[in-house]
Amino acid sequence: MTWTTEEIAGLVEPDRAHRKAYTDPDIFDMEMERIFERTWIYVGHESQVKKRGDYYLAQVGRQPVIMIRGQDNQVNVLYNRCPHRGAQICSARKGNTGKHFYCSYHAWTFHLDGKLEGMPAKREYEGTNLDFDDPEFHMARPAQVDNYRGFWFVNLSKGGHDLKTHLGEAAAAFDQLIDRAPGKETEIVGDCFRMVQQSNWKIFLENQLDASHPGVTHESTGKAAQKLEAKIRQEGEEPPMELSFLSDFARLGHDGWTKFGTVGYRNGHSSLEGYMGLRPDDPDTNEYVRRMHEAYGEKKAEEILGTNIHHMLVYPCNSVQPPLQQLRTIRPLAHDKTLTEIWHFRLKNAPEKIYRRSLAYYYMVNSPSTLINADDLFNWWKCQHGLDSSASEWVSFHRKAGQDEERDGVSYSAPESMSELPLRHMMHAWREYMTATVGEKL
Amino acid sequence: MTEACELLAASDVNAVADVSIETQLTVERFLYRQAELLDEKLIEDWMALFSDDGWYWMPAEADQVEGDGQPNIFWEDQGLMLMRNARNTHPRAHSQAPHNRLCHVVSNVIIESENADGDIIVRSRFQCAEYLRYEVRNFSGKYRHLLKKTRAGYKIALQRVDLVNREGPYDYVLQWWL
C-alpha cells in the first residue's frame, strides 16, 4: 500500500508502535529511501584497507559500495557499479584491485578515485557523447563521504547534518574504541562474522538496550556458565573473568538490571550504562591502567576509563560496545531479514590479556556459534512472526513511559528502572526521519 | 602455539600415508562413531573421545593454522564443551525447544601420517543435514583429526572442521558441534 506522511506518523505513539512498522514491505522500502539513503551510514574502518588498492565491499541502504584505499593513500568510497552497462566492478567481498579497477564485462578500467581510464577500441567512441571527464562515465561517488577518526561513513543524499553533527554524543563510542588504546590507535582483527537475522532491523536495535530481556532470554547460558565456574573452583582454580560475561545473566536474574541507566540522544542515538566489572584488581588490568596513565597522564586516562558506556547505538546502523571493542553494523535486506556484520578491535599497546578478554566476548557472544545470540535471534524471529498476526495492532513500550527525564534535548531513564526509554526514543526518531522532507535537518 | 595445532600445521595436507588395512579401518570406525555420537546426542560419550587437553576447532579463515588467540567459529576445550552441553540441554534454552536433529555422513578418509607412537593425522569429508524449526539445512566440510594412541584407544587431541562456506553469512546460530 502507499503510505501518506500522516499515516506513517500515526504508526508511533508515545508508548507504543504499530506492528506495520515492522512487517510492511512498503514501509521497509520507504525506510531505505528516507533513513538509510538519507543519513550517515557506516561503511567500515580504515584498518580494513591498509595498502593502496585494498578494498572492502559494503551495502548502504539498497546501494552496493566499495571502500577503497587510493593511489594517494587516502580512503574513498565509490558505488560498486560500472557506468557502461551496470555490472558490479568488484565481486569478491574484499581484496586488492591493483592500480585500477577493471570491469570483467568489457574491460573498461577506472582509476582508484573512480575516473574512467580507458577501454579496448577506444577510438570507436570518437564523435559520441561519451566524455572521459564527465562524471556520468566514472564510477560514481556517493553524495557525501566522510570519516570520524578513521571510521568511514557515507550519506547517499545531499544536505542534512555533517557527519560530526549527526553523530553528536554518539561519537563517544568511536572515541572510546580508539582512546582506550594506550598506543592511541585501534585496529580491526580479521574479517567480520556475518549473521542473518530473520527479523526486522528495528527489533535488533531495540533488543540491544533492552535491560529487561537478558536475565530471561539468556538464563540457560548464564546457568551453564555458572556450572562451569563451579567446576573450575572445585578443581581449586579461579574461573577466568570472561565467564562472568555469561554467568552475569544468571547472577543478575530477571529483574536485577535496574541499576543500568539508559540515555536517548539527538538524531536517534542511545546508550546503556556499563554493567560489566571490567576494571577488576588483577595484574593484567593493573598493567593496562599503568600503560594508559603513562600514555595520557593520570587525569586524562581516568577520564577515558571512567566513561560509563556499555553499549552505544548509533542510529540507524551501529551497535558499539567500546569496553569490549565490539562493533556491529546492520545491513537491512528486507522487512523480515537483516544482515549483521560483527567486528572486533585490538587496542594498540594494550596487554595481550586485555585483547583476549575482548576476543572471548567476541567468541561467546558474537560468533556464529554463540549461545547468547542463539536465543536472541530466536526471540526476534518469533517476534517477527508474532507481529504478522493481527491479534493486536500494537507493540508495547510502556515500561516507565512518561517518566523519562529530559534535559537539553537528551532524555534519561527513570532511576533504578529497566525503562524502555531507548525503544520509545528510537521509534520517535524513526517517525522524525520517515516524515521529514528531503534535506531537512532533524 | 598450541601443540596440537602445530602438529596439524606441520603435516602435509595432501600426504597419503601407507598404513595397514587394520589401521585404516580402526580410524574410519572411530570417525564414524564420532559423527554418530553427535547425531545421537550422546554428548558425554562424544566429549570422552577427546583427550583432557583436546580441542574442537572450526576456524574462521582458511589459512588459519592456530585457534588460540584468534577469532574462530568454534574453539572449545572440555570446559567450554561442558558449558555448551549444559546450556543446550537446559529447559530454558528457548531456541533448542524442540532440539535440532543432525545427520552426518563421513567419507573420503585418508590418513596423512602415523608416527612411531601410533598417533594419527587423518583427513576426511562430511555432509551434515540439520533439522531445526521445521527446516533442513545442509553443511559440507572437511575434517582433520589429530588422534593420540592411548591404551583406551584413540583420543582426539584436535578436531579441525573447515566448512566450505566458512565465511557465512550464517542465517542462524550453530548451537551444536558439527
Side-chain angles (χ1 to χ4, degrees):
Chain A
M1 67 177 273
T2 322
W3 292 83
T4 65
T5 302
E6 290 70 33
E7 284 167 339
I8 290 175
L11 295 176
V12 182
E13 293 186 359
D15 50 14
R16 60 183 194 170
H18 197 279
R19 69 185 183 91
K20 293 274 184 189
Y22 303 83
T23 58
D24 189 290
D26 296 321
I27 290 279
F28 178 81
D29 287 342
M30 293 173 85
E31 288 176 332
M32 292 303 99
E33 185 195 321
R34 298 185 179 191
I35 305 178
F36 282 82
E37 296 175 7
R38 208 182 278 172
T39 188
W40 290 96
I41 300 298
Y42 181 70
V43 175
H45 186 251
E46 62 182 9
S47 65
Q48 290 168 244
V49 288
K50 285 194 178 132
K51 298 193 296 284
R52 289 175 172 84
D54 279 357
Y55 74 86
Y56 238 102
L57 303 186
Q59 179 93 0
V60 175
R62 295 162 294 190
Q63 309 301 320
V65 300
I66 307 173
M67 178 169 72
I68 174 82
R69 188 170 293 266
Q71 289 299 344
D72 56 359
N73 207 27
Q74 299 300 306
V75 177
N76 197 3
V77 181
L78 300 167
Y79 280 89
N80 186 15
R81 181 192 186 280
C82 182
H84 177 210
R85 298 279 289 280
Q88 297 208 341
I89 300 281
C90 296
S91 46
R93 281 182 55 240
K94 58 175 176 169
N96 186 291
T97 188
K99 290 195 169 133
H100 54 228
F101 290 110
Y102 175 88
C103 181
S104 61
Y105 197 3
H106 303 91
W108 282 34
T109 55
F110 302 87
H111 299 286
L112 297 188
D113 61 4
K115 287 201 184 80
L116 179 59
E117 188 181 61
M119 72 282 280
K122 195 169 149 184
R123 66 185 172 281
E124 292 174 8
Y125 283 102
E126 281 168 16
T128 73
N129 284 333
L130 186 136
D131 176 356
F132 275 68
D133 294 324
D134 183 346
E136 191 187 326
F137 302 102
H138 300 170
M139 285 167 68
R141 192 169 189 267
Q144 303 185 65
V145 177
D146 201 357
N147 80 100
Y148 181 78
R149 300 185 69 183
F151 293 89
W152 284 83
F153 291 75
V154 300
N155 184 337
L156 298 178
S157 302
K158 288 185 184 132
H161 293 306
D162 60 40
L163 176 61
K164 212 171 167 200
T165 310
H166 167 73
L167 292 176
E169 292 91 345
F174 303 106
D175 289 333
Q176 282 273 297
L177 281 177
I178 301 167
D179 294 343
R180 294 176 76 92
K184 303 184 182 181
E185 278 176 39
T186 192
E187 186 181 65
I188 289 267
V189 181
D191 201 352
C192 57
F193 287 138
R194 294 185 301 151
M195 303 290 292
V196 175
Q197 304 165 359
Q198 311 293 340
S199 45
N200 188 271
W201 61 278
K202 298 187 290 301
I203 295 179
F204 167 73
L205 291 185
E206 288 163 4
N207 182 84
Q208 296 306 85
L209 301 191
D210 171 13
S212 64
H213 92 278
V216 183
T217 303
H218 306 305
E219 180 185 352
S220 60
T221 304
K223 291 265 167 63
Q226 282 183 321
K227 189 171 169 178
L228 177 56
E229 286 176 335
K231 181 176 173 272
I232 294 170
R233 285 204 184 91
Q234 221 167 38
E235 289 161 358
E237 287 181 49
E238 198 45 39
M241 177 190 167
E242 291 88 280
L243 282 178
S244 70
F245 299 156
L246 305 185
S247 55
D248 270 354
F249 291 117
R251 203 167 292 119
L252 290 164
H254 288 187
D255 50 8
W257 299 77
T258 53
K259 56 178 180 277
F260 313 114
T262 47
V263 188
Y265 306 102
R266 277 164 280 261
N267 304 326
H269 315 310
S270 48
S271 69
L272 171 71
E273 289 174 354
Y275 69 85
M276 293 172 159
L278 286 176
R279 200 166 159 185
D281 186 19
D282 66 273
D284 302 316
T285 309
N286 294 339
E287 170 58 17
Y288 167 64
V289 172
R290 192 192 65 73
R291 290 188 198 183
M292 285 293 287
H293 283 188
E294 200 175 272
Y296 291 97
E298 189 179 334
K299 188 164 169 280
K300 176 79 178 155
E302 287 301 321
E303 198 180 298
I304 294 165
L305 296 172
T307 301
N308 193 20
I309 302 171
H310 170 64
H311 217 135
M312 178 73 82
L313 287 188
V314 186
Y315 200 83
C317 62
N318 286 119
S319 154
V320 188
Q321 286 173 278
L324 288 156
Q325 297 101 53
Q326 322 276 312
L327 180 151
R328 279 183 265 198
T329 310
I330 55 163
R331 314 283 184 198
L333 304 175
H335 70 280
D336 58 355
K337 200 175 268 226
T338 307
L339 174 69
T340 48
E341 297 173 357
I342 314 164
W343 303 90
H344 81 148
F345 293 81
R346 188 190 283 275
L347 302 174
K348 194 176 174 191
N349 202 27
E352 175 68 13
K353 285 279 178 60
I354 296 298
Y355 168 66
R356 293 294 183 106
R357 275 179 204 164
S358 87
L359 179 65
Y361 191 82
Y362 189 57
Y363 178 66
M364 294 193 294
V365 177
N366 282 325
S367 76
S369 71
T370 168
L371 299 176
I372 292 297
N373 279 329
D375 287 319
D376 282 325
L377 263 66
F378 184 59
N379 277 345
W380 308 337
W381 173 77
K382 289 204 295 183
C383 282
Q384 190 68 37
H385 281 264
L387 290 173
D388 277 334
S389 155
S390 56
S392 162
E393 296 298 323
W394 296 98
V395 178
S396 154
F397 302 144
H398 289 83
R399 194 186 282 269
K400 284 281 175 187
Q403 295 170 60
D404 311 331
E405 250 187 74
E406 196 164 326
R407 298 194 292 275
D408 304 327
V410 177
S411 46
Y412 300 84
S413 60
E416 298 295 314
S417 76
M418 299 186 288
S419 171
E420 286 173 336
L421 173 145
L423 288 68
R424 293 187 286 273
H425 181 73
M426 279 190 280
M427 277 318 280
H428 295 161
W430 180 88
R431 184 177 53 194
E432 296 293 317
Y433 281 105
M434 291 289 281
T435 56
T437 48
V438 180
E440 184 185 359
K441 291 193 181 190
L442 295 174
Chain B
M1 205 175 161
T2 311
E3 193 196 338
C5 290
E6 205 166 356
L7 288 169
L8 210 62
S11 175
D12 175 1
V13 293
N14 291 306
V16 181
D18 188 16
V19 297
S20 68
I21 298 291
E22 194 191 335
T23 301
Q24 175 75 23
L25 288 176
T26 310
V27 168
E28 284 183 7
R29 187 164 55 204
F30 183 90
L31 295 181
Y32 299 156
R33 184 65 179 149
Q34 184 274 140
E36 184 180 57
L37 291 172
L38 284 177
D39 291 348
E40 299 298 337
K41 292 226 161 43
L42 296 167
I43 300 302
E44 284 173 14
D45 292 346
W46 180 78
M47 284 168 60
L49 295 181
F50 287 76
S51 58
D52 289 345
D53 56 357
W55 289 93
Y56 178 91
W57 180 28
M58 193 184 285
E61 306 213 23
D63 56 0
Q64 246 178 287
V65 291
E66 170 66 84
D68 184 47
Q70 299 184 29
N72 296 293
I73 300 166
F74 280 91
W75 175 247
E76 305 209 335
D77 59 6
Q78 291 277 357
L80 290 173
M81 290 178 196
L82 175 98
M83 180 167 80
R84 182 174 294 276
N85 191 38
R87 179 268 166 192
N88 286 358
T89 54
H90 190 278
R92 288 195 178 158
H94 312 286
S95 55
Q96 280 295 316
H99 275 302
N100 73 340
R101 291 175 214 146
L102 292 178
C103 182
H104 279 83
V105 175
V106 179
S107 186
N108 308 10
V109 179
I110 297 176
I111 294 174
E112 287 174 22
S113 68
E114 180 183 22
N115 75 7
D117 295 330
D119 296 347
I120 297 281
I121 293 178
V122 57
R123 63 178 181 271
S124 56
R125 302 278 166 166
F126 70 90
Q127 295 273 355
C128 183
E130 179 178 32
Y131 180 70
L132 181 70
R133 281 182 235 152
Y134 316 109
E135 277 182 43
V136 178
R137 292 175 175 86
N138 286 292
F139 298 93
S140 308
K142 176 178 176 175
Y143 281 143
R144 278 180 90 210
H145 283 86
L146 171 61
L147 304 177
K148 294 272 184 188
K149 194 167 190 182
T150 74
R151 270 188 222 156
Y154 290 120
K155 290 282 177 188
I156 303 171
L158 180 64
Q159 172 161 337
R160 175 175 172 142
V161 187
D162 283 274
L163 293 182
V164 292
N165 58 334
R166 67 172 77 70
E167 303 87 352
Y170 292 85
D171 68 352
Y172 71 122
V173 174
L174 304 175
Q175 299 178 41
W176 290 99
W177 307 276
L178 288 176

